[in-house]
């Protein structure tokens, strides 16, 4: 299959924007990415951004992945969401037997998707046996392989536990043809992601397709990217996606303000209230973006210099990602209200971005509880220093 290690994926993402924007209405209507968009993402290597180099991936720095997500999100949030989900799933290759990784990622289309952690698998000779259903699988309609995060139960029914006593969680992987898909994604935002459900019945999973994902002792790659957990990279990718949605929405409001004269009022561009709102909202968005990328850069610098991931790193990324999603939603709200009645018409795309942004904010990466998690860690006094300025 086509491989593009080391290419400028940000430029490729930017170049695909016109195609993605042309396809956005169809993506929204059908509730899944179109074949034209999926093919373009594959041919340009975007799904392989986080795949290890030894499997033909680009293995890009965290910031590059984030910028790629931002560019795609400016064109269509659903496309960016699916791309981000499946790109991070490819990090699982760092924990897999090489033959298994090549079978999954180097046979076209080489796309892996998965849903939320749930259920158990039973250990059997040579592997595991699964019968369950999983939900929230963004990108499942483009995927050639599916994954599921499951607790392991021994043959005698006892839960398998790690050395610290916590349940052992494995990510089982299987061809999409082994599963039944369910069309359940009827939602108000991110409609085009096709975040559907899937199930398997009495499916045997060979041992080599059951990864100890995010377990440092199981990691087979030494690059800084794979010192990050998949959840950390998910959070930064989806935060960058929210920045792209916010940027596109604010830019649309600025373009509208330059041209629109509301009935019985002076031109929006000459209205001091509009001018002030645009100035403040622009500052808000730029400051939020700077915070997100500075947090990512600091953590990446430490990992590139040989450090292992710490609790301070985790808190820095979690705070930055959650804050960015919430601030991006505020920017979208400001731009939506600034547009007035124009925003309610489908043709102007304000309402789609409004719905998409608020769907992003409802996802797990935008939970308010993350602030409590960060606050608890900071108050414990066990961090090496302030999360973003150690």
């Amino acid at each position: 299959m086509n491989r593009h290690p080391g290419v400028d994926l940000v430029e490729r993402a930017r170049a695909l924007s016109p195609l993605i924007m042309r396809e956005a209405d169809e993506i929204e209507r059908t509730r899944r990415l179109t074949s034209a968009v999926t093919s373009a993402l594959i041919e340009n290597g975007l799904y392989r951004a986080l795949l290890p180099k030894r499997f033909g991936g680009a293995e890009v720095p965290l910031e590059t992945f984030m910028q790629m997500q931002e560019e795609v999100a400016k064109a269509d949030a659903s496309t960016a969401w699916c791309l981000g989900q499946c790109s991070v799933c490819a990090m699982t290759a760092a924990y897999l037997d090489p033959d298994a990784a090549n079978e999954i990622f180097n046979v076209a289309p080489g796309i892996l998707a998965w849903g939320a952690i749930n259920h158990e698998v039973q250990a059997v000779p040579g592997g595991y046996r699964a019968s369950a259903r999983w939900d929230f699988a963004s990108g499942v309609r483009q995927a050639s392989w599916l994954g599921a995060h499951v607790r392991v139960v021994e043959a005698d029914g006892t839960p398998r536990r790690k050395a610290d006593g916590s349940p052992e969680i494995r990510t089982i992987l299987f061809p999409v043809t082994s599963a039944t898909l369910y069309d359940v994604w009827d939602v108000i935002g991110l409609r085009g992601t096709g975040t559907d459900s899937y199930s398997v019945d009495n499916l045997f999973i060979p041992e080599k397709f059951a990864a100890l994902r995010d377990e440092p002792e199981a990691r087979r790659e030494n690059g800084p990217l794979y010192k990050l957990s998949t959840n950390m990279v998910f959070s930064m990718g989806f935060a960058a996606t929210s920045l792209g949605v916010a940027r596109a929405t604010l830019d649309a409001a600025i373009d509208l303000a330059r041209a629109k004269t509301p009935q019985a009022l002076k031109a929006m561009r000459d209205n001091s209230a509009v001018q002030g709102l645009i100035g403040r909202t622009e500052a808000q968005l730029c400051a939020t973006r700077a915070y997100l990328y500075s947090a990512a850069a600091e953590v990446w610098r430490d990992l590139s210099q040989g450090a292992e991931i710490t609790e301070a790193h985790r808190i820095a990324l979690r705070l930055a990602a959650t804050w960015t999603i919430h601030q991006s939603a505020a920017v979208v709200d400001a731009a939506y209200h600034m547009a007035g009645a124009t925003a309610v018409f489908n043709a102007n795309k304000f309402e789609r971005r409004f719905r998409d942004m608020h769907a992003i904010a409802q996802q797990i990466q935008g939970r308010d509880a993350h602030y409590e998690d960060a606050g608890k860690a900071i108050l414990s006094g066990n961090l090496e220093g302030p999360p973003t300025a150690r």
Side-chain angles (χ1 to χ4, degrees), residues 52-92:
K53 288 180 180 179
R54 70 164 164 157
F55 299 119
E59 197 175 325
V60 299
L62 180 59
E63 182 178 6
T64 302
F65 168 63
M66 292 161 60
Q67 290 174 335
M68 178 186 82
Q69 287 297 115
E70 205 176 346
E71 290 300 324
V72 175
K74 292 175 186 177
D76 179 57
S78 288
T79 301
W81 191 270
C82 287
L83 175 62
Q85 175 77 16
C86 295
S87 295
V88 177
C89 290
M91 291 176 65
T92 307

